[in-house]
Amino acid sequence: MSELEASATGDTAGGEQPHYQLTLGHLYPDQLNLYGDRGNILSLRERCRWRGIDLQVRHLGVGDALAPDEYDLLFIGGGQDKEQAPVAQDLREIKAIGLWAAIEDDMPVLAVCGGYQLLAHYYRPAIGPDMPGLGVFDAWTIHKGLRVARCIGNIAIEWQGQTLVGFENHGGRTYLGTSKPLGKVLAGHGNNSEDHTEGAVYRNTFGTYLHGSLLPKNPHFADHLLTLALRRKYGPEVALPPLDDTLEWRAHETMLRRLKVTFPKRQSNGRQAGD
């Protein structure tokens, strides 16, 4: 039994003090927080608390420098076009060096919708000039006009032999160059409603259009991010003990049924086969 597993079961010599501590940087919580994106932070915090892990959350707004050594995990949500412009400028001028250093050092980063678009080469809005991004993902996004239907609705994708569910609402269509997609669209629009790709991945940085919030209904993906963060900080032997995710999986599978997507049979620990 690892120290973390012992902590989760209460079988520790040191009492109730957490053995592990993580610091999450929440980028632009006031500007980029649509469709319940803050719920992703709450999900990570609770899943850590249930296991005796101390998760500290720090907000990083416009003008705040990003010191990569101070964080173990980063999150950036989505927002409207008018809110993305100052964020795009701040990303390039204030946070680019620190964010790139974190990404190249394999810090897990989750970027949703507008945050995802700004980590690619550029976002071309329906009105106004292009917003240059950081180019973390070899991808670009084009809004095809206000009269073109948005990509709205529930979505399910295949991810590493499992499924992820969420809600999407975006006018921009994202096209991948050499970047790998996060998953294959099973129902919904995904990156562009054309090529069945959804999201993008670079090292441990994940871009996606899945709001929802994403992590409460996808506990396996939340734990994937936490595992990456813990192993990066404490070593590859760290393993998360399972939680009772009955309610989380019920929400997940309800969405799959609504979308008429066949889902893998869950194992006894509540995770999908292949997890």
Side-chain angles (χ1 to χ4, degrees):
M1 179 180 293
S2 70
E3 288 185 357
L4 183 56
E5 291 170 323
S7 175
T9 60
D11 186 16
T12 62
E16 297 179 354
Q17 293 300 316
H19 291 262
Y20 294 93
Q21 191 274 330
L22 295 173
T23 301
L24 183 151
H26 185 181
L27 277 67
Y28 311 111
D30 295 329
Q31 292 86 3
L32 303 182
N33 183 33
L34 285 179
Y35 313 120
D37 281 345
R38 195 181 299 272
N40 293 311
I41 305 297
L42 298 177
S43 179
L44 292 172
R45 175 179 279 165
E46 287 304 292
R47 297 187 75 78
C48 282
R49 185 177 67 84
W50 292 334
R51 291 167 165 130
I53 303 169
D54 179 19
L55 177 69
Q56 300 293 323
V57 179
R58 297 180 187 173
H59 291 173
L60 285 162
V62 172
D64 295 333
L66 197 167
D69 293 343
E70 296 180 2
Y71 300 94
D72 306 298
L73 183 66
L74 296 173
F75 174 77
I76 177 171
Q80 299 180 37
D81 287 1
K82 63 181 180 181
E83 294 162 332
Q84 286 185 220
V87 168
Q89 181 177 0
D90 186 78
L91 269 177
R92 296 192 309 273
E93 298 180 358
I94 305 296
K95 296 183 177 59
I97 294 177
L99 185 53
W100 263 113
I103 290 170
E104 293 294 347
D105 197 33
D106 286 333
M107 186 183 298
V109 179
L110 176 60
V112 177
C113 199
Y116 165 37
Q117 294 170 345
L118 295 179
L119 293 191
H121 292 305
Y122 65 87
Y123 171 51
R124 180 168 298 162
I127 300 173
D130 289 0
M131 300 180 198
L134 291 191
V136 174
F137 303 121
D138 183 15
W140 57 94
T141 302
I142 299 173
H143 194 304
K144 297 189 175 180
L146 299 178
R147 294 186 177 181
V148 178
R150 297 175 62 85
C151 300
I152 301 176
N154 294 312
I155 178 173
I157 69 171
E158 180 182 359
W159 172 71
Q160 295 188 0
Q162 305 170 79
T163 51
L164 298 177
V165 299
F167 171 79
E168 59 181 333
N169 185 352
H170 52 102
R173 268 70 168 174
T174 296
Y175 299 90
L176 303 182
T178 59
S179 285
K180 296 180 180 178
L182 175 64
K184 176 184 177 182
V185 175
L186 301 174
H189 298 279
N191 279 334
N192 49 48
S193 203
E194 298 172 24
D195 61 14
H196 305 290
T197 64
E198 204 295 314
V201 179
Y202 176 73
R203 302 183 76 94
N204 288 336
T205 298
F206 304 89
T208 180
Y209 277 114
L210 272 65
H211 294 279
S213 304
L214 169 63
L215 298 183
K217 289 185 287 190
N218 297 283
H220 51 324
F221 191 53
D223 282 356
H224 181 65
L225 297 174
L226 291 175
T227 299
L228 290 172
L230 286 166
R231 289 180 175 175
R232 177 177 175 271
K233 185 171 185 177
Y234 294 104
E237 72 280 0
V238 176
L240 287 176
L243 297 173
D244 180 359
D245 288 324
T246 302
L247 292 178
E248 288 83 352
W249 282 114
R250 188 176 298 170
H252 183 105
E253 292 172 359
T254 296
M255 186 54 61
L256 292 180
R257 289 191 187 92
R258 288 181 183 175
L259 293 170
K260 303 185 185 307
V261 171
T262 301
F263 48 88
K265 182 179 180 181
R266 282 193 287 123
Q267 299 172 339
S268 58
N269 62 3
R271 298 183 176 187
Q272 291 177 320
D275 192 6

